[in-house]
Amino acid sequence: MPRWFRIWEKKRGSRRTVSRVVASVGETFFFSAIFFFGVIFTAMTVASTVLETWPIRTMFPEVAYVEGECTVQEIRVLKLGTDDYPRYQPEALVLLDLPQRQHHRWTLRRSSLSYSTEEAAWDRLNGYEPGWIYPCWYDPDSPGQSVVLERTPAWGLWVIFLVLISFIVIGGIGLIYTLLLMGTSVERRAAIAKKAKTLELLREAMPATTYPSIPNDANLTNSPGVRLAFRLPIEVSPGWWLLATLIFSLLWSGMAGVFFIAALGNHLAGKPDWMLTIISLPTIGIALAAISQFLREVTANTRVGPTGLEISNHPLYPGKEYRVFVTQAGKMKVRQLQILLVCEEAATFLQGTDVRSETKRVVEEEVAAAKGFEIKPGLPFEADYQLRVPEGCMHSFKSDHNAIHWKLVVQINADHGTRLSRSFPIVVYPAELEVAR
């Protein structure tokens, strides 16, 4: 039985190249992991810093220090080390007078300083005079053990933020680049450049003032096809759906990270907030589910690949026949691929004080179907079919409250439960317009 993924593929002779599918999935998962890691841990670090909880308070205690005033009572230099390698540490005895009690402590900075000469240590104490009052900083939970005259810059905290932001930037750029390449191929770019030279610069267009209720097809004919005249745009690009899933995952994961840090900090401080803990658990579960759904969407779109649909002419007219050319890339076994011609009627109306919209499919005709074939990397499925627009059908229409939309729908039913439906809008003009032209 063939494997779903082929890690290695022969290219020429004994030379080998990695599978494109594995490479695309691997790149997407790699950059997604970096991106989510950066976003989630940045949110958790910011929350820990603002809320002054674990782990930032443990790693950088001075983020929780408050400013006060201390009286320097005495200064000294301690001799440390050995006689051969002496070290000299400057200190000041300070008095911290709080409403609850007074605190005395020999201190200067939280991380002690030492010098190789006694003169240098005394020079460090210049500016501190016994009996004078100086600004100081201390931890409100343990002022007697934490009071300092000088704060240590939290360079390590800034380094952590820079590293996490670099993860976000690198992962985000790599993820966007990988997703953009899902629906693009070298052949497609070459075909656009080649076909654009042969297109007429000015096309015969329907005057908008004559038929203002018929949609303009300018956005449907501005992309040349590889085989036929025009490449139809997809109605909802998979990239936009992936982007929406990614944004939701990021926002919810960041919120879950903040809840987790706040709840864990309260538990470690011995003041558990059970309501916050109960809220955090389903929030974290939804965040994990959102990330999992995003990764599943990425895997499915990478495995299925882009769908392309080209048409021989546009706009379309009732009773006329046109050629359509479909391409489907990816790596899968397809049970059935269908192309449907669909017409939908949309209406917007008031119901009480609410504005409601409803859509009903009024026409659905099968244009073509292909069954039981396999799509391999680098060898997309390609087929040319005939499309006939029904005689006497309603043309495309758009107004403030009603609309008639025509589109071609490509439906794929593949192995492993993969089902996909991609729509390509088209515009049908009235039959009498063709006669007039």
Side-chain angles (χ1 to χ4, degrees):
M1 181 179 294
R3 293 178 296 175
W4 185 64
F5 276 128
R6 183 176 299 171
I7 305 299
W8 299 101
E9 293 179 342
K10 282 193 174 182
K11 184 176 182 180
R12 193 175 285 118
S14 60
R15 294 167 56 193
R16 293 175 180 268
T17 178
V18 71
S19 167
R20 295 180 183 178
V21 176
V22 174
S24 299
V25 174
E27 281 185 355
T28 307
F29 273 75
F30 174 73
F31 287 119
S32 298
I34 293 178
F35 190 56
F36 276 105
F37 178 87
V39 170
I40 293 173
F41 278 88
T42 298
M44 294 173 65
T45 303
V46 171
S48 179
T49 304
V50 173
L51 300 176
E52 300 177 357
T53 59
W54 178 90
I56 296 301
R57 184 163 182 172
T58 303
M59 299 169 62
F60 307 98
E62 289 186 69
V63 298
Y65 282 19
V66 296
E67 187 174 358
E69 291 184 342
C70 295
T71 302
V72 175
Q73 296 183 319
E74 187 180 346
I75 58 176
R76 70 181 182 184
V77 172
L78 290 179
K79 183 178 180 180
L80 306 174
T82 63
D83 292 337
D84 295 332
Y85 301 99
R87 302 292 298 179
Y88 299 92
Q89 178 177 306
E91 290 183 338
L93 178 62
V94 298
L95 168 64
L96 177 62
D97 191 3
L98 297 178
Q100 295 82 4
R101 57 172 291 188
Q102 291 182 338
H103 301 275
H104 295 81
R105 184 175 185 244
W106 286 98
T107 185
L108 189 62
R109 298 176 60 179
R110 194 179 68 87
S111 55
S112 59
L113 295 173
S114 63
Y115 297 88
S116 58
T117 63
E118 187 175 0
E119 291 77 15
W122 281 109
D123 290 341
R124 186 68 179 76
L125 291 172
N126 285 340
Y128 293 106
E129 297 290 338
W132 286 36
I133 298 176
Y134 296 91
C136 63
W137 291 264
Y138 61 92
D139 188 343
D141 294 338
S142 56
Q145 291 78 37
S146 61
V147 60
V148 294
L149 289 172
E150 300 174 1
R151 298 190 70 177
T152 305
W155 300 115
L157 182 59
W158 289 108
V159 171
I160 291 176
F161 274 116
L162 288 176
V163 171
L164 292 175
I165 291 173
S166 69
F167 275 114
I168 296 175
V169 174
I170 295 172
I173 294 176
L175 185 59
I176 292 173
Y177 179 74
T178 304
L179 294 179
L180 288 177
L181 288 184
M182 281 184 182
T184 309
S185 64
V186 177
E187 293 82 0
R188 170 66 186 151
R189 292 192 292 267
I192 291 177
K194 183 177 180 181
K195 197 82 173 182
K197 298 178 182 179
T198 63
L199 289 178
E200 297 180 2
L201 296 179
L202 297 175
R203 294 182 63 250
E204 199 174 351
M206 179 185 63
T209 54
T210 306
Y211 297 92
S213 60
I214 299 180
N216 197 319
D217 69 332
N219 291 330
L220 306 181
T221 57
N222 56 8
S223 179
V226 178
R227 297 283 186 87
L228 303 180
F230 305 109
R231 178 184 175 94
L232 296 176
I234 193 168
E235 194 170 45
V236 179
S237 172
W240 288 110
W241 174 249
L242 284 173
L243 180 61
T245 309
L246 174 63
I247 292 174
F248 175 80
S249 302
L250 292 178
L251 294 177
W252 199 275
S253 300
M255 182 177 65
V258 172
F259 284 3
F260 173 75
I261 285 294
L264 184 60
N266 290 337
H267 280 277
L268 294 177
K271 303 174 183 178
D273 187 338
W274 294 108
M275 181 58 68
L276 179 60
T277 303
I278 293 173
I279 295 175
S280 300
L281 293 177
T283 304
I284 295 172
I286 294 175
L288 295 175
I291 295 174
S292 176
Q293 178 63 28
F294 170 73
L295 295 178
R296 280 197 298 268
E297 292 285 344
V298 168
T299 303
N301 281 277
T302 305
R303 180 169 173 257
V304 171
T307 304
L309 195 63
E310 301 177 9
I311 194 163
S312 59
N313 201 0
H314 203 275
L316 311 185
Y317 296 92
K320 298 297 181 179
E321 291 189 354
Y322 304 88
R323 289 175 58 202
V324 292
F325 176 71
V326 61
T327 61
Q328 178 61 57
K331 172 70 170 72
M332 57 182 171
K333 289 184 177 180
V334 179
R335 298 176 182 174
Q336 185 180 42
L337 184 147
Q338 270 187 310
I339 302 177
L340 303 176
L341 177 64
V342 173
C343 177
E344 293 180 342
E345 181 179 354
T348 303
F349 55 92
L350 285 174
Q351 188 174 42
T353 57
D354 298 331
V355 178
R356 298 190 59 183
S357 297
E358 290 188 3
T359 302
K360 183 179 180 181
R361 184 168 292 190
V362 293
V363 175
E364 180 179 307
E365 293 188 359
E366 183 180 270
V367 176
K371 299 181 180 180
F373 59 92
E374 183 178 1
I375 302 176
K376 298 181 179 180
L379 298 173
F381 170 79
E382 297 180 348
D384 201 325
Y385 298 108
Q386 287 293 122
L387 162 67
R388 178 178 175 82
V389 182
E391 191 85 35
C393 66
M394 176 64 182
H395 59 78
S396 299
F397 175 82
K398 187 175 182 180
S399 67
D400 293 337
H401 302 288
N402 299 89
I404 299 293
H405 300 296
W406 285 89
K407 58 185 176 181
L408 291 170
V409 180
V410 178
Q411 293 183 344
I412 300 173
N413 182 10
D415 287 348
H416 306 287
T418 302
R419 294 180 180 272
L420 191 68
S421 179
R422 290 174 176 171
S423 302
F424 300 83
I426 55 176
V427 175
V428 176
Y429 280 3
E432 60 269 18
L433 181 61
E434 184 187 28
V435 174
R437 292 170 65 183

